[in-house]
């Protein structure tokens, strides 16, 4: 039995966390059965989400989990990819997870308009007694992390331009194909979907968001992936936040 520990969705997002969206999308593309439970700081091996409970132990990190399941469960999602496609997919994944991610965090946590909205979803993740204090404390830590990583030191317009460039690179790879590397989805589509959705599904206007939602290929890709994986929504459902 495989248990996915994840954060629920909200608005147009499968999960508040793109890494949780990635892993749940991957599980669905791979056709693996799983149960879903909420993130629990006491069982999370690295203090982050997502993680899984598998064969009696907890395992963290979306990529380490999917790589292990690929081997142990004989998942063949990437079996048809050429070496060059694997290499481009790897580079795109690292761009999204190690670059785009921080620009998304900037949009939600550092930009005041973003935080005013994101805060409402984030506080709903906690029991009522912790809602007044925890989001503010965690925001302070997040702003420190953004500064240490570097993205937090840029002006808003610069970060927006970075996001548009990342989405432009993704759109160029997608071209007019149904999925990143052809007519069938592969593991890298789970990552691409998570980050395209992470930008398009957060309901605060920005140039980068408009770039994605008005891009014919990217918006069609988003709908195609949603229809394929989440016609009935994510396993933990979505937070009811206005
Ligand atoms: N490399 C990790 C990244 C996971 C990650 O950064 N998760 C964030 C949510 S988007 C988290 O749990 N942050 C909590 C924290 O840093 O304390 C993965 O792929 O699973």
């Amino acid at each position: 039995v495989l248990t996915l520990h994840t954060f629920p969705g909200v608005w147009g997002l499968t999960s508040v966390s793109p890494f949780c969206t990635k892993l749940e999308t991957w599980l669905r593309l791979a056709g693996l059965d799983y149960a879903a439970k909420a993130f629990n700081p006491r069982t999370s091996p690295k203090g982050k989400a997502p993680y899984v409970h598998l064969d009696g132990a907890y395992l963290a990190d979306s990529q380490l989990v999917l790589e292990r399941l690929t081997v142990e469960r004989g998942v063949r999602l990437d079996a048809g990819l050429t070496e060059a496609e694997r290499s481009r997919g790897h580079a795109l994944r690292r761009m999204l997870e190690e670059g785009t991610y921080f620009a998304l965090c900037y949009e939600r946590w550092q930009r005041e308009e973003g935080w005013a909205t994101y805060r409402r979803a984030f506080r709903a993740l906690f029991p009522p007694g912790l809602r007044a204090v925890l989001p503010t404390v965690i925001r302070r830590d997040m702003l420190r992390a953004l500064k240490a990583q570097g993205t937090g030191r840029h002006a808003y317009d610069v970060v927006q331009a970075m996001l548009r460039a990342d989405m432009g690179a993704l759109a160029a790879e997608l071209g007019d194909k149904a999925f990143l590397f052809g007519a069938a989805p592969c593991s890298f589509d789970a990552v691409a979907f998570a980050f395209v959705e992470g930008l398009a599904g957060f309901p605060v206007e920005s140039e980068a968001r408009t770039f994605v939602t008005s891009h014919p290929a990217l918006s069609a890709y988003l709908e195609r992936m949603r229809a394929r994986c989440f016609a009935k929504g994510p396993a933990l459902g979505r937070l009811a936040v206005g």
Side-chain angles (χ1 to χ4, degrees):
V1 176
L2 171 64
T3 306
L4 169 70
H5 287 261
T6 184
F7 289 124
V10 63
W11 305 304
L13 301 168
T14 300
S15 167
V16 295
S17 154
F19 294 101
C20 292
T21 298
K22 167 194 166 184
L23 189 52
E24 187 161 12
T25 303
W26 186 86
L27 289 169
R28 294 201 177 189
L29 289 176
L32 299 181
D33 283 334
Y34 64 95
K37 282 194 180 164
F39 168 81
N40 177 347
R42 280 189 286 276
T43 58
S44 170
K46 294 178 184 169
K48 286 186 178 261
Y51 59 101
V52 296
H53 191 256
L54 175 64
D55 299 334
Y58 289 103
L59 175 66
D61 194 286
S62 62
Q63 192 62 24
L64 297 181
V65 169
L66 76 80
E67 284 174 9
R68 174 161 159 192
L69 287 170
T70 296
V71 174
E72 288 187 0
R73 305 281 174 100
V75 174
R76 303 205 23 95
L77 271 176
D78 298 344
L81 299 185
T82 64
E83 207 175 318
E85 287 168 340
R86 279 170 209 274
S87 167
R88 294 208 303 278
H90 176 79
L92 278 176
R93 178 174 78 76
R94 300 292 282 185
M95 171 187 81
L96 293 167
E97 296 186 351
E98 310 299 339
T100 312
Y101 172 65
F102 292 99
L104 273 187
C105 288
Y106 188 116
E107 183 65 25
R108 296 179 187 185
W109 296 85
Q110 187 159 330
R111 184 187 178 201
E112 292 301 335
E113 295 94 314
W115 176 240
T117 296
Y118 191 58
R119 186 177 172 279
R120 288 190 276 125
F122 195 70
R123 67 196 296 281
L125 294 172
F126 299 102
L130 297 176
R131 282 180 190 164
V133 179
L134 262 190
T136 308
V137 171
I138 294 173
R139 185 190 191 206
R140 202 186 53 211
D141 291 347
M142 180 56 100
L143 296 187
R144 274 201 203 114
L146 280 170
K147 199 150 210 180
Q149 187 271 342
T151 304
R153 296 166 196 245
H154 296 309
Y156 175 68
D157 289 354
V158 173
V159 178
Q160 280 288 300
M162 288 171 170
L163 271 176
R164 284 201 313 277
D166 290 356
M167 290 298 120
L170 195 61
E173 181 62 61
L174 181 62
D176 59 5
K177 302 187 294 299
F179 298 100
L180 266 185
F181 294 115
C186 66
S187 290
F188 299 115
D189 285 292
V191 189
F193 168 68
F195 284 88
V196 174
E197 188 195 67
L199 192 50
F202 180 57
V204 176
E205 283 309 317
S206 71
E207 275 179 40
R209 180 174 188 260
T210 303
F211 176 81
V212 169
T213 53
S214 61
H215 192 292
L218 286 179
S219 47
Y221 176 71
L222 197 56
E223 288 319 311
R224 194 174 301 121
M225 286 293 291
R226 277 192 182 133
R228 181 140 187 154
C229 299
F230 295 106
K232 293 187 185 149
L236 285 187
R238 288 190 165 89
L239 298 166
V241 172

